[in-house]
Amino acid sequence: MPDDVPAVPGLPMARGRCPFDPAPELGALRADHPVARMEFPDGHVGWLVTGYPQVRGLLADPRMSSRADALRSPIPLPMASDRTEPAPGMFTAMDPPEHTRYRRAVAGWFSARRTRTLERRLRELADAHLDAMAAGRGEGPVDLVTGFAEPMAASVICELLGVPLSQRPEFARAITALFAVHSSAQEAIAGWHAVTGLLHRLVQAKRTEPAADLVGTLVAEGRLSDEEIVTVGAVLLTAGYDTSANMIALGTFALLEHPEQSAALAADTSLAERAVEELLRYLTVVHAGGIRAAAEDLEFDGHRMAAGDAVSLSFAAANRDPALCDRPDELDVTREPVPHLAFGHGIHQCAGQQLARLELRVAFEALFGRFPGLRLGVPAAEVRTRPDMVIYGVHELPVTW
C-alpha cells in the first residue's frame, strides 16, 4: 500500500452481527493492507497494523517505544491527551532499562512454578463464589458477571496484592471509570485516584503489619519507594481484574453459544487448557490492541515510518489471521494451541499471563462442572456487550440452569 493512500479514519471498533468477531473492517484491512495509515483521535496520522506477522514483529522490534510521552491512544479515552512522563512504577509505559527494573521486581510472583502452587486456593475461591451465586438465585436468571466473573477476578488479584476483599466494590467502581470510553476526564482521574489512594493506605498498613503478599513483600524489600509500589500495584490490579472478569463472562457466553464446543469440553475435561488458549485467541478482549511509537525513522514491511509516528497494533485482527491458524474465525476447543497475541508479545508481554491462564481454567472447570445444564437466561441478542470499553466483554450475562 503506498503511503500516500488516504488514512483509515480511526480504529474500527463496532462489531458486526456476531458479538465474538472483531470489527469487520479489520479483516478487510488485514487482507489488503496489513500495515495501513490511520488518523488518531487527536488528528495525528500514524499507523494501524492488523496482520499477525506484522503485529508480532513490531511488538518485538526494539525500534518501537512504549514511553508514555510518545504514545497516542487510537480511541478517544478521557485521559489519552495527557501525554506526560509516566508515574514512577508505571512500567507498562516505559522502555528499558526502567521497564526492566520494575518488571523484575514482580516477575517472580507470576512465574509458572509459583502459579502452580495457587491452584488449590483458586479452586476454593471459585467454589465459594459459585456457592454464593447458587444460594442467591431467585425465580429468574442470575447475572454471571456480578455473581461469579467479577468476584472471582477480584478475589484472585486482591489476595495476590494483599487488598482486603471488603474493598472490592470500591475498586470495581474506580476501574469502570478508568476504562469506560464515555467517562469524563474528571471521572477517569477520580477513578485512578481512588485506586492509588487505597493502595497508599495499603502500603502504610503493610509497614505496621508486615505480610507475605506482593505489596507487603515489596514494602519489606525496600527496593521501591512507596509511590513506585502504589503505581506497580495499581497497574497489576487494574490489568488483572478487568481482563480476567471479562474473559470469564465473555468466554462463558461464547461456549454457551457454541454448544458443541461446551459439550466437547464437558465430555473431556483434559481439553480445559486448550479451551482457554482458544478462547483467548478467539475473543481477544483487549480489542483496542496495543500502542507503540516509532523511536526512530525506520522501514517496516515496505513502509517508511518516521520517528514519533504512533502505531496501533490490533491484537484482535492478528489473532484471526489465517497466517496464524486454519479456520481462524471458528471456535475450536480441540485446536492445538497456537502462539496467539492475547497477552501481547516481546518485553511487554503480560507479566501475569500464567496466573490468568490458571484462573480461567479453574473458573470454567468449576462453572461447567457445577452447572452442566448452564444456559443463557435471555436471547443472545439481548446480551449487552462492551464495544465502548477498552476491555471487551459483556455488561451482564443472565444465565440459568
Side-chain angles (χ1 to χ4, degrees), residues 286-350:
V286 187
H287 69 149
I291 52 174
R292 297 289 188 272
E296 60 186 71
D297 293 345
L298 59 95
E299 290 192 5
F300 179 80
D301 202 53
H303 300 269
R304 293 183 179 180
M305 296 183 180
D309 278 1
V311 183
S312 177
L313 304 162
S314 177
F315 299 163
N319 280 340
R320 295 294 191 94
D321 193 335
L324 173 62
C325 60
D326 294 332
R327 302 174 289 108
D329 291 323
E330 295 181 20
L331 176 65
D332 181 1
V333 299
T334 69
R335 191 191 303 272
E336 186 75 24
V338 296
H340 60 73
L341 301 175
F343 294 115
H345 179 63
I347 63 171
H348 283 281
Q349 191 171 32
C350 176

Side-chain angles (χ1 to χ4, degrees), residues 2 70 104 112 170 185 237 257 263 326 358 372 376:
R104 283 176 177 169
E170 180 180 350
L237 180 71
E257 283 297 281
D326 294 332
L358 175 62
L376 288 180

Side-chain angles (χ1 to χ4, degrees), residues 254-265:
L255 288 170
L256 294 180
E257 283 297 281
H258 294 82
E260 75 288 353
Q261 299 299 310
S262 57
L265 181 58

Side-chain angles (χ1 to χ4, degrees), residues 2-368:
D3 294 344
D4 58 356
V5 170
V8 177
L11 179 65
M13 297 280 282
R15 301 276 165 151
R17 287 187 298 176
C18 177
F20 312 119
D21 291 344
E25 298 91 336
L26 291 172
L29 278 170
R30 184 187 59 228
D32 298 332
H33 311 298
V35 180
R37 300 310 300 265
M38 185 181 81
E39 183 175 347
F40 284 68
D42 63 358
H44 170 82
V45 177
W47 302 87
L48 171 60
V49 187
T50 51
Y52 175 82
Q54 291 84 2
V55 171
R56 184 181 171 93
L58 286 175
L59 286 171
D61 196 322
R63 299 173 298 176
M64 290 286 109
S65 175
S66 294
R67 284 190 0 258
D69 60 335
L71 302 181
R72 300 172 189 268
S73 174
I75 56 178
L77 293 175
M79 296 170 63
S81 60
D82 187 16
R83 302 173 68 222
T84 61
E85 290 290 335
M90 185 70 70
F91 62 95
T92 54
M94 293 177 175
D95 292 334
E98 292 84 4
H99 166 266
T100 308
R101 180 170 74 90
Y102 291 117
R103 183 154 179 137
R104 283 176 177 169
V106 300
W109 285 84
F110 299 101
S111 68
R113 180 178 180 180
R114 186 183 184 282
T115 297
R116 285 193 293 270
T117 69
L118 302 176
E119 181 165 352
R120 177 181 294 180
R121 178 55 181 157
L122 264 61
R123 291 196 180 279
E124 292 174 349
L125 290 171
D127 288 341
H129 291 306
L130 290 174
D131 286 344
M133 186 174 78
R137 183 186 182 190
E139 294 295 327
V142 175
D143 178 21
L144 189 84
V145 173
T146 56
F148 181 57
E150 287 181 349
M152 179 67 182
S155 297
V156 173
I157 193 63
C158 284
E159 283 204 4
L160 181 75
L161 294 176
V163 178
L165 292 180
S166 61
Q167 296 172 325
R168 177 179 62 85
E170 180 180 350
F171 274 109
R173 289 192 297 272
I175 292 167
T176 298
L178 273 173
F179 289 112
V181 174
H182 53 72
S183 289
S184 67
Q186 291 77 14
E187 288 171 328
I189 292 170
W192 179 255
H193 286 169
V195 170
T196 55
L198 192 151
L199 285 166
H200 269 294
R201 297 193 295 274
L202 185 66
V203 168
Q204 296 309 311
K206 302 299 180 184
R207 293 199 181 282
T208 304
E209 298 182 14
D213 49 59
L214 191 151
V215 171
T217 299
L218 292 179
V219 168
E221 289 175 345
R223 290 185 292 172
L224 301 181
S225 69
D226 286 4
E227 185 179 7
E228 290 172 319
I229 295 173
V230 165
T231 305
V232 168
V235 169
L236 297 175
L237 180 71
T238 54
Y241 174 83
D242 212 35
T243 52
S244 294
N246 281 288
M247 267 303 304
I248 292 171
L250 188 65
T252 300
F253 185 20
L255 288 170
L256 294 180
E257 283 297 281
H258 294 82
E260 75 288 353
Q261 299 299 310
S262 57
L265 181 58
D268 184 1
T269 56
S270 68
L271 291 175
E273 290 189 9
R274 288 191 179 190
V276 167
E277 293 303 314
E278 176 69 348
L279 286 166
L280 286 164
R281 179 201 70 82
Y282 180 72
L283 298 175
T284 314
V285 294
V286 187
H287 69 149
I291 52 174
R292 297 289 188 272
E296 60 186 71
D297 293 345
L298 59 95
E299 290 192 5
F300 179 80
D301 202 53
H303 300 269
R304 293 183 179 180
M305 296 183 180
D309 278 1
V311 183
S312 177
L313 304 162
S314 177
F315 299 163
N319 280 340
R320 295 294 191 94
D321 193 335
L324 173 62
C325 60
D326 294 332
R327 302 174 289 108
D329 291 323
E330 295 181 20
L331 176 65
D332 181 1
V333 299
T334 69
R335 191 191 303 272
E336 186 75 24
V338 296
H340 60 73
L341 301 175
F343 294 115
H345 179 63
I347 63 171
H348 283 281
Q349 191 171 32
C350 176
Q353 61 180 292
Q354 298 306 329
L355 177 59
R357 286 182 164 101
L358 175 62
E359 181 179 345
L360 294 174
R361 177 168 63 81
V362 167
F364 291 130
E365 287 178 347
L367 177 63
F368 286 95

Side-chain angles (χ1 to χ4, degrees), residues 373-384:
L374 191 73
R375 62 188 186 276
L376 288 180
V378 296
E382 294 181 13
V383 175
R384 294 193 307 124

